[in-house]
PDB file of all heavy atoms in Angstrom:
ATOM      1  N   GLU A 812    -194.323-104.228 -86.802  1.00 97.00           N
ATOM      2  CA  GLU A 812    -192.971-104.467 -86.279  1.00 97.00           C
ATOM      3  C   GLU A 812    -191.968-104.384 -87.278  1.00 97.00           C
ATOM      4  O   GLU A 812    -190.879-103.786 -87.201  1.00 97.00           O
ATOM      5  CB  GLU A 812    -192.984-105.912 -85.730  1.00 97.00           C
ATOM      6  CG  GLU A 812    -193.644-106.042 -84.294  1.00 97.00           C
ATOM      7  CD  GLU A 812    -193.407-107.430 -83.725  1.00 97.00           C
ATOM      8  OE1 GLU A 812    -192.961-108.304 -84.454  1.00 97.00           O
ATOM      9  OE2 GLU A 812    -193.865-107.604 -82.646  1.00 97.00           O
ATOM     10  N   TYR A 813    -192.204-104.997 -88.464  1.00 98.00           N
ATOM     11  CA  TYR A 813    -191.275-105.031 -89.593  1.00 98.00           C
ATOM     12  C   TYR A 813    -190.981-103.634 -90.130  1.00 98.00           C
ATOM     13  O   TYR A 813    -189.805-103.225 -90.333  1.00 98.00           O
ATOM     14  CB  TYR A 813    -191.822-105.937 -90.684  1.00 98.00           C
ATOM     15  CG  TYR A 813    -190.876-106.093 -91.831  1.00 98.00           C
ATOM     16  CD1 TYR A 813    -189.662-106.737 -91.682  1.00 98.00           C
ATOM     17  CD2 TYR A 813    -191.103-105.565 -93.115  1.00 98.00           C
ATOM     18  CE1 TYR A 813    -188.752-106.897 -92.776  1.00 98.00           C
ATOM     19  CE2 TYR A 813    -190.326-105.746 -94.183  1.00 98.00           C
ATOM     20  CZ  TYR A 813    -189.085-106.398 -93.994  1.00 98.00           C
ATOM     21  OH  TYR A 813    -188.229-106.543 -95.088  1.00 98.00           O
ATOM     22  N   LEU A 814    -192.026-102.761 -90.305  1.00 98.00           N
ATOM     23  CA  LEU A 814    -191.818-101.456 -90.840  1.00 98.00           C
ATOM     24  C   LEU A 814    -191.073-100.589 -89.779  1.00 98.00           C
ATOM     25  O   LEU A 814    -190.213 -99.774 -90.213  1.00 98.00           O
ATOM     26  CB  LEU A 814    -193.129-100.805 -91.177  1.00 98.00           C
ATOM     27  CG  LEU A 814    -193.928-101.479 -92.346  1.00 98.00           C
ATOM     28  CD1 LEU A 814    -195.245-100.856 -92.559  1.00 98.00           C
ATOM     29  CD2 LEU A 814    -193.105-101.440 -93.603  1.00 98.00           C
ATOM     30  N   LEU A 815    -191.338-100.750 -88.505  1.00 97.00           N
ATOM     31  CA  LEU A 815    -190.628 -99.995 -87.549  1.00 97.00           C
ATOM     32  C   LEU A 815    -189.148-100.359 -87.541  1.00 97.00           C
ATOM     33  O   LEU A 815    -188.235 -99.476 -87.414  1.00 97.00           O
ATOM     34  CB  LEU A 815    -191.166-100.283 -86.099  1.00 97.00           C
ATOM     35  CG  LEU A 815    -192.513 -99.652 -85.698  1.00 97.00           C
ATOM     36  CD1 LEU A 815    -192.949-100.236 -84.414  1.00 97.00           C
ATOM     37  CD2 LEU A 815    -192.434 -98.174 -85.645  1.00 97.00           C
ATOM     38  N   SER A 816    -188.739-101.650 -87.830  1.00 97.00           N
ATOM     39  CA  SER A 816    -187.405-102.021 -87.846  1.00 97.00           C
ATOM     40  C   SER A 816    -186.744-101.433 -89.055  1.00 97.00           C
ATOM     41  O   SER A 816    -185.522-101.342 -89.091  1.00 97.00           O
ATOM     42  CB  SER A 816    -187.307-103.660 -88.001  1.00 97.00           C
ATOM     43  OG  SER A 816    -187.777-104.076 -89.286  1.00 97.00           O
ATOM     44  N   LEU A 817    -187.536-101.009 -90.104  1.00 97.00           N
ATOM     45  CA  LEU A 817    -186.916-100.369 -91.282  1.00 97.00           C
ATOM     46  C   LEU A 817    -186.852 -98.884 -91.188  1.00 97.00           C
ATOM     47  O   LEU A 817    -186.452 -98.104 -92.095  1.00 97.00           O
ATOM     48  CB  LEU A 817    -187.720-100.746 -92.507  1.00 97.00           C
ATOM     49  CG  LEU A 817    -187.755-102.242 -92.878  1.00 97.00           C
ATOM     50  CD1 LEU A 817    -188.658-102.522 -94.184  1.00 97.00           C
ATOM     51  CD2 LEU A 817    -186.323-102.766 -93.172  1.00 97.00           C
ATOM     52  N   GLY A 818    -187.393 -98.322 -90.006  1.00 97.00           N
ATOM     53  CA  GLY A 818    -187.260 -96.885 -89.861  1.00 97.00           C
ATOM     54  C   GLY A 818    -188.579 -96.112 -90.192  1.00 97.00           C
ATOM     55  O   GLY A 818    -188.543 -94.949 -90.233  1.00 97.00           O
ATOM     56  N   TYR A 819    -189.634 -96.834 -90.489  1.00 98.00           N
ATOM     57  CA  TYR A 819    -190.818 -96.187 -90.857  1.00 98.00           C
ATOM     58  C   TYR A 819    -191.593 -95.488 -89.657  1.00 98.00           C
ATOM     59  O   TYR A 819    -191.439 -95.905 -88.514  1.00 98.00           O
ATOM     60  CB  TYR A 819    -191.813 -97.180 -91.398  1.00 98.00           C
ATOM     61  CG  TYR A 819    -191.681 -97.573 -92.889  1.00 98.00           C
ATOM     62  CD1 TYR A 819    -190.560 -98.303 -93.322  1.00 98.00           C
ATOM     63  CD2 TYR A 819    -192.613 -97.169 -93.816  1.00 98.00           C
ATOM     64  CE1 TYR A 819    -190.397 -98.672 -94.520  1.00 98.00           C
ATOM     65  CE2 TYR A 819    -192.456 -97.515 -95.151  1.00 98.00           C
ATOM     66  CZ  TYR A 819    -191.349 -98.302 -95.576  1.00 98.00           C
ATOM     67  OH  TYR A 819    -191.184 -98.623 -96.893  1.00 98.00           O
ATOM     68  N   GLU A 820    -192.376 -94.496 -89.934  1.00 98.00           N
ATOM     69  CA  GLU A 820    -193.316 -93.917 -89.018  1.00 98.00           C
ATOM     70  C   GLU A 820    -194.563 -94.714 -89.283  1.00 98.00           C
ATOM     71  O   GLU A 820    -195.130 -94.544 -90.303  1.00 98.00           O
ATOM     72  CB  GLU A 820    -193.503 -92.474 -89.220  1.00 98.00           C
ATOM     73  CG  GLU A 820    -194.529 -91.765 -88.226  1.00 98.00           C
ATOM     74  CD  GLU A 820    -194.733 -90.342 -88.533  1.00 98.00           C
ATOM     75  OE1 GLU A 820    -193.631 -89.617 -88.537  1.00 98.00           O
ATOM     76  OE2 GLU A 820    -195.846 -89.862 -88.685  1.00 98.00           O
ATOM     77  N   VAL A 821    -195.093 -95.400 -88.266  1.00 98.00           N
ATOM     78  CA  VAL A 821    -196.218 -96.377 -88.494  1.00 98.00           C
ATOM     79  C   VAL A 821    -197.445 -95.887 -87.860  1.00 98.00           C
ATOM     80  O   VAL A 821    -197.491 -95.580 -86.630  1.00 98.00           O
ATOM     81  CB  VAL A 821    -195.888 -97.817 -87.972  1.00 98.00           C
ATOM     82  CG1 VAL A 821    -197.022 -98.713 -88.183  1.00 98.00           C
ATOM     83  CG2 VAL A 821    -194.638 -98.313 -88.667  1.00 98.00           C
ATOM     84  N   HIS A 822    -198.548 -95.776 -88.666  1.00 98.00           N
ATOM     85  CA  HIS A 822    -199.869 -95.436 -88.189  1.00 98.00           C
ATOM     86  C   HIS A 822    -200.836 -96.590 -88.430  1.00 98.00           C
ATOM     87  O   HIS A 822    -200.715 -97.323 -89.399  1.00 98.00           O
ATOM     88  CB  HIS A 822    -200.404 -94.170 -88.936  1.00 98.00           C
ATOM     89  CG  HIS A 822    -199.591 -92.973 -88.724  1.00 98.00           C
ATOM     90  ND1 HIS A 822    -199.964 -91.872 -87.975  1.00 98.00           N
ATOM     91  CD2 HIS A 822    -198.341 -92.617 -89.210  1.00 98.00           C
ATOM     92  CE1 HIS A 822    -199.070 -91.002 -87.902  1.00 98.00           C
ATOM     93  NE2 HIS A 822    -198.075 -91.357 -88.690  1.00 98.00           N
ATOM     94  N   GLY A 823    -201.791 -96.796 -87.504  1.00 97.00           N
ATOM     95  CA  GLY A 823    -202.750 -97.806 -87.636  1.00 97.00           C
ATOM     96  C   GLY A 823    -204.204 -97.319 -87.415  1.00 97.00           C
ATOM     97  O   GLY A 823    -204.433 -96.433 -86.605  1.00 97.00           O
ATOM     98  N   ILE A 824    -205.110 -97.911 -88.155  1.00 95.00           N
ATOM     99  CA  ILE A 824    -206.551 -97.574 -87.932  1.00 95.00           C
ATOM    100  C   ILE A 824    -207.257 -98.767 -87.152  1.00 95.00           C
ATOM    101  O   ILE A 824    -207.036 -99.888 -87.534  1.00 95.00           O
ATOM    102  CB  ILE A 824    -207.269 -97.412 -89.307  1.00 95.00           C
ATOM    103  CG1 ILE A 824    -206.631 -96.275 -90.041  1.00 95.00           C
ATOM    104  CG2 ILE A 824    -208.732 -97.169 -89.040  1.00 95.00           C
ATOM    105  CD1 ILE A 824    -207.221 -96.012 -91.458  1.00 95.00           C
ATOM    106  N   VAL A 825    -207.997 -98.435 -86.132  1.00 90.00           N
ATOM    107  CA  VAL A 825    -208.772 -99.420 -85.347  1.00 90.00           C
ATOM    108  C   VAL A 825    -210.127 -98.954 -85.195  1.00 90.00           C
ATOM    109  O   VAL A 825    -210.431 -97.735 -85.310  1.00 90.00           O
ATOM    110  CB  VAL A 825    -208.101 -99.685 -83.922  1.00 90.00           C
ATOM    111  CG1 VAL A 825    -206.733-100.158 -84.042  1.00 90.00           C
ATOM    112  CG2 VAL A 825    -208.149 -98.388 -83.124  1.00 90.00           C
ATOM    113  N   ARG A 826    -211.070 -99.894 -85.101  1.00 78.00           N
ATOM    114  CA  ARG A 826    -212.427 -99.457 -84.921  1.00 78.00           C
ATOM    115  C   ARG A 826    -212.664 -98.737 -83.627  1.00 78.00           C
ATOM    116  O   ARG A 826    -211.948 -99.012 -82.621  1.00 78.00           O
ATOM    117  CB  ARG A 826    -213.371-100.677 -84.934  1.00 78.00           C
ATOM    118  CG  ARG A 826    -213.511-101.340 -86.262  1.00 78.00           C
ATOM    119  CD  ARG A 826    -214.273-102.558 -86.231  1.00 78.00           C
ATOM    120  NE  ARG A 826    -213.542-103.695 -85.519  1.00 78.00           N
ATOM    121  CZ  ARG A 826    -214.079-104.864 -85.258  1.00 78.00           C
ATOM    122  NH1 ARG A 826    -215.261-105.174 -85.656  1.00 78.00           N
ATOM    123  NH2 ARG A 826    -213.315-105.699 -84.621  1.00 78.00           N
ATOM    124  N   ARG A 827    -213.607 -97.828 -83.613  1.00 60.00           N
ATOM    125  CA  ARG A 827    -213.837 -96.947 -82.494  1.00 60.00           C
ATOM    126  C   ARG A 827    -214.170 -97.767 -81.266  1.00 60.00           C
ATOM    127  O   ARG A 827    -213.734 -97.457 -80.108  1.00 60.00           O
ATOM    128  CB  ARG A 827    -215.028 -96.013 -82.759  1.00 60.00           C
ATOM    129  CG  ARG A 827    -214.698 -94.984 -83.894  1.00 60.00           C
ATOM    130  CD  ARG A 827    -215.835 -93.950 -83.979  1.00 60.00           C
ATOM    131  NE  ARG A 827    -215.628 -93.095 -85.238  1.00 60.00           N
ATOM    132  CZ  ARG A 827    -214.806 -92.032 -85.228  1.00 60.00           C
ATOM    133  NH1 ARG A 827    -214.031 -91.816 -84.244  1.00 60.00           N
ATOM    134  NH2 ARG A 827    -214.673 -91.389 -86.390  1.00 60.00           N
ATOM    135  N   VAL A 828    -214.877 -98.907 -81.356  1.00 50.00           N
ATOM    136  CA  VAL A 828    -215.183 -99.699 -80.227  1.00 50.00           C
ATOM    137  C   VAL A 828    -214.039-100.331 -79.549  1.00 50.00           C
ATOM    138  O   VAL A 828    -214.040-100.879 -78.534  1.00 50.00           O
ATOM    139  CB  VAL A 828    -216.222-100.795 -80.619  1.00 50.00           C
ATOM    140  CG1 VAL A 828    -217.524-100.192 -81.057  1.00 50.00           C
ATOM    141  CG2 VAL A 828    -215.662-101.705 -81.726  1.00 50.00           C
ATOM    142  N   ALA A 829    -212.855-100.312 -80.323  1.00 48.00           N
ATOM    143  CA  ALA A 829    -211.624-100.935 -79.797  1.00 48.00           C
ATOM    144  C   ALA A 829    -210.572 -99.874 -79.561  1.00 48.00           C
ATOM    145  O   ALA A 829    -209.415-100.283 -79.373  1.00 48.00           O
ATOM    146  CB  ALA A 829    -211.080-101.960 -80.818  1.00 48.00           C
ATOM    147  N   SER A 830    -210.931 -98.561 -79.341  1.00 47.00           N
ATOM    148  CA  SER A 830    -209.973 -97.605 -79.189  1.00 47.00           C
ATOM    149  C   SER A 830    -209.350 -97.424 -77.891  1.00 47.00           C
ATOM    150  O   SER A 830    -208.401 -96.732 -77.678  1.00 47.00           O
ATOM    151  CB  SER A 830    -210.680 -96.259 -79.626  1.00 47.00           C
ATOM    152  OG  SER A 830    -211.740 -95.995 -78.745  1.00 47.00           O
ATOM    153  N   GLU A 831    -209.817 -98.155 -76.838  1.00 48.00           N
ATOM    154  CA  GLU A 831    -209.115 -98.147 -75.532  1.00 48.00           C
ATOM    155  C   GLU A 831    -207.964 -99.136 -75.554  1.00 48.00           C
ATOM    156  O   GLU A 831    -208.032-100.267 -75.970  1.00 48.00           O
ATOM    157  CB  GLU A 831    -210.133 -98.583 -74.510  1.00 48.00           C
ATOM    158  CG  GLU A 831    -211.284 -97.694 -74.315  1.00 48.00           C
ATOM    159  CD  GLU A 831    -210.844 -96.250 -73.837  1.00 48.00           C
ATOM    160  OE1 GLU A 831    -209.830 -96.200 -73.088  1.00 48.00           O
ATOM    161  OE2 GLU A 831    -211.506 -95.289 -74.229  1.00 48.00           O
ATOM    162  N   TYR A 832    -206.839 -98.629 -75.098  1.00 46.00           N
ATOM    163  CA  TYR A 832    -205.567 -99.430 -75.142  1.00 46.00           C
ATOM    164  C   TYR A 832    -205.600-100.696 -74.385  1.00 46.00           C
ATOM    165  O   TYR A 832    -204.825-101.618 -74.577  1.00 46.00           O
ATOM    166  CB  TYR A 832    -204.378 -98.548 -74.677  1.00 46.00           C
ATOM    167  CG  TYR A 832    -203.963 -97.557 -75.608  1.00 46.00           C
ATOM    168  CD1 TYR A 832    -204.616 -97.418 -76.888  1.00 46.00           C
ATOM    169  CD2 TYR A 832    -202.870 -96.741 -75.413  1.00 46.00           C
ATOM    170  CE1 TYR A 832    -204.233 -96.503 -77.791  1.00 46.00           C
ATOM    171  CE2 TYR A 832    -202.490 -95.738 -76.332  1.00 46.00           C
ATOM    172  CZ  TYR A 832    -203.179 -95.576 -77.514  1.00 46.00           C
ATOM    173  OH  TYR A 832    -202.791 -94.726 -78.432  1.00 46.00           O
ATOM    174  N   ASN A 833    -206.500-100.831 -73.355  1.00 43.00           N
ATOM    175  CA  ASN A 833    -206.582-101.994 -72.555  1.00 43.00           C
ATOM    176  C   ASN A 833    -207.496-103.061 -73.157  1.00 43.00           C
ATOM    177  O   ASN A 833    -207.705-104.117 -72.601  1.00 43.00           O
ATOM    178  CB  ASN A 833    -207.084-101.605 -71.142  1.00 43.00           C
ATOM    179  CG  ASN A 833    -208.499-101.056 -71.080  1.00 43.00           C
ATOM    180  OD1 ASN A 833    -209.079-100.822 -72.202  1.00 43.00           O
ATOM    181  ND2 ASN A 833    -209.019-100.893 -70.001  1.00 43.00           N
ATOM    182  N   SER A 834    -207.903-102.778 -74.337  1.00 52.00           N
ATOM    183  CA  SER A 834    -208.837-103.730 -75.098  1.00 52.00           C
ATOM    184  C   SER A 834    -208.024-104.935 -75.424  1.00 52.00           C
ATOM    185  O   SER A 834    -206.847-104.909 -75.782  1.00 52.00           O
ATOM    186  CB  SER A 834    -209.422-103.080 -76.328  1.00 52.00           C
ATOM    187  OG  SER A 834    -210.055-104.091 -77.176  1.00 52.00           O
ATOM    188  N   TRP A 835    -208.618-106.110 -75.494  1.00 51.00           N
ATOM    189  CA  TRP A 835    -207.972-107.343 -75.839  1.00 51.00           C
ATOM    190  C   TRP A 835    -207.548-107.318 -77.235  1.00 51.00           C
ATOM    191  O   TRP A 835    -206.627-107.982 -77.680  1.00 51.00           O
ATOM    192  CB  TRP A 835    -208.987-108.519 -75.576  1.00 51.00           C
ATOM    193  CG  TRP A 835    -210.189-108.553 -76.467  1.00 51.00           C
ATOM    194  CD1 TRP A 835    -211.386-108.009 -76.108  1.00 51.00           C
ATOM    195  CD2 TRP A 835    -210.332-109.041 -77.776  1.00 51.00           C
ATOM    196  NE1 TRP A 835    -212.247-108.210 -77.144  1.00 51.00           N
ATOM    197  CE2 TRP A 835    -211.631-108.764 -78.172  1.00 51.00           C
ATOM    198  CE3 TRP A 835    -209.429-109.645 -78.745  1.00 51.00           C
ATOM    199  CZ2 TRP A 835    -212.136-109.162 -79.406  1.00 51.00           C
ATOM    200  CZ3 TRP A 835    -209.961-109.964 -79.959  1.00 51.00           C
ATOM    201  CH2 TRP A 835    -211.265-109.736 -80.312  1.00 51.00           C
ATOM    202  N   ARG A 836    -208.190-106.459 -78.095  1.00 62.00           N
ATOM    203  CA  ARG A 836    -207.858-106.330 -79.455  1.00 62.00           C
ATOM    204  C   ARG A 836    -206.443-105.750 -79.662  1.00 62.00           C
ATOM    205  O   ARG A 836    -205.899-105.939 -80.733  1.00 62.00           O
ATOM    206  CB  ARG A 836    -208.891-105.432 -80.242  1.00 62.00           C
ATOM    207  CG  ARG A 836    -210.258-106.063 -80.273  1.00 62.00           C
ATOM    208  CD  ARG A 836    -211.244-105.048 -80.939  1.00 62.00           C
ATOM    209  NE  ARG A 836    -212.552-105.636 -81.101  1.00 62.00           N
ATOM    210  CZ  ARG A 836    -213.514-105.513 -80.272  1.00 62.00           C
ATOM    211  NH1 ARG A 836    -213.180-104.971 -79.084  1.00 62.00           N
ATOM    212  NH2 ARG A 836    -214.675-106.047 -80.404  1.00 62.00           N
ATOM    213  N   PHE A 837    -205.943-105.165 -78.616  1.00 77.00           N
ATOM    214  CA  PHE A 837    -204.619-104.603 -78.717  1.00 77.00           C
ATOM    215  C   PHE A 837    -203.499-105.571 -78.199  1.00 77.00           C
ATOM    216  O   PHE A 837    -202.310-105.159 -78.112  1.00 77.00           O
ATOM    217  CB  PHE A 837    -204.493-103.231 -77.935  1.00 77.00           C
ATOM    218  CG  PHE A 837    -205.175-102.127 -78.698  1.00 77.00           C
ATOM    219  CD1 PHE A 837    -206.448-101.921 -78.515  1.00 77.00           C
ATOM    220  CD2 PHE A 837    -204.397-101.298 -79.467  1.00 77.00           C
ATOM    221  CE1 PHE A 837    -207.065-100.790 -79.071  1.00 77.00           C
ATOM    222  CE2 PHE A 837    -204.993-100.222 -80.155  1.00 77.00           C
ATOM    223  CZ  PHE A 837    -206.374-100.052 -79.981  1.00 77.00           C
ATOM    224  N   SER A 838    -203.878-106.783 -77.905  1.00 83.00           N
ATOM    225  CA  SER A 838    -202.846-107.659 -77.305  1.00 83.00           C
ATOM    226  C   SER A 838    -201.647-107.933 -78.260  1.00 83.00           C
ATOM    227  O   SER A 838    -200.585-108.146 -77.794  1.00 83.00           O
ATOM    228  CB  SER A 838    -203.540-109.023 -76.981  1.00 83.00           C
ATOM    229  OG  SER A 838    -204.135-109.633 -78.072  1.00 83.00           O
ATOM    230  N   ARG A 839    -201.924-107.894 -79.601  1.00 89.00           N
ATOM    231  CA  ARG A 839    -200.872-108.227 -80.476  1.00 89.00           C
ATOM    232  C   ARG A 839    -199.935-106.957 -80.746  1.00 89.00           C
ATOM    233  O   ARG A 839    -198.787-107.184 -81.234  1.00 89.00           O
ATOM    234  CB  ARG A 839    -201.384-108.659 -81.806  1.00 89.00           C
ATOM    235  CG  ARG A 839    -202.227-109.861 -81.852  1.00 89.00           C
ATOM    236  CD  ARG A 839    -202.679-110.320 -83.287  1.00 89.00           C
ATOM    237  NE  ARG A 839    -203.442-111.491 -83.336  1.00 89.00           N
ATOM    238  CZ  ARG A 839    -204.772-111.480 -83.517  1.00 89.00           C
ATOM    239  NH1 ARG A 839    -205.456-110.353 -83.505  1.00 89.00           N
ATOM    240  NH2 ARG A 839    -205.425-112.608 -83.645  1.00 89.00           N
ATOM    241  N   ILE A 840    -200.380-105.778 -80.348  1.00 92.00           N
ATOM    242  CA  ILE A 840    -199.552-104.656 -80.639  1.00 92.00           C
ATOM    243  C   ILE A 840    -199.256-103.804 -79.397  1.00 92.00           C
ATOM    244  O   ILE A 840    -198.539-102.783 -79.528  1.00 92.00           O
ATOM    245  CB  ILE A 840    -200.217-103.682 -81.659  1.00 92.00           C
ATOM    246  CG1 ILE A 840    -201.603-103.191 -81.208  1.00 92.00           C
ATOM    247  CG2 ILE A 840    -200.262-104.458 -83.057  1.00 92.00           C
ATOM    248  CD1 ILE A 840    -202.209-102.111 -82.143  1.00 92.00           C
ATOM    249  N   LYS A 841    -199.656-104.186 -78.202  1.00 88.00           N
ATOM    250  CA  LYS A 841    -199.422-103.385 -77.032  1.00 88.00           C
ATOM    251  C   LYS A 841    -197.966-103.173 -76.739  1.00 88.00           C
ATOM    252  O   LYS A 841    -197.584-102.096 -76.156  1.00 88.00           O
ATOM    253  CB  LYS A 841    -200.121-103.997 -75.842  1.00 88.00           C
ATOM    254  CG  LYS A 841    -199.649-105.342 -75.401  1.00 88.00           C
ATOM    255  CD  LYS A 841    -200.460-105.862 -74.229  1.00 88.00           C
ATOM    256  CE  LYS A 841    -199.986-107.255 -73.756  1.00 88.00           C
ATOM    257  NZ  LYS A 841    -200.712-107.761 -72.581  1.00 88.00           N
TER     258      LYS A 841
END
């Protein structure tokens, strides 16, 4: 969130088992 507010292009790495967007693991960044 903070880097986006500064104009960054933001990339993130997630484990393959959590790669579906509907995963609960994505609740903080959905």
Side-chain angles (χ1 to χ4, degrees):
E812 281 183 356
Y813 182 66
L814 294 177
L815 285 172
S816 73
L817 299 177
Y819 279 69
E820 180 182 306
V821 178
H822 297 253
I824 299 177
V825 299
R826 288 176 292 178
R827 297 189 188 280
V828 295
S830 60
E831 296 296 327
Y832 285 1
N833 63 355
S834 169
W835 63 266
R836 295 178 177 86
F837 283 88
S838 60
R839 297 186 181 98
I840 59 171
K841 62 182 181 181

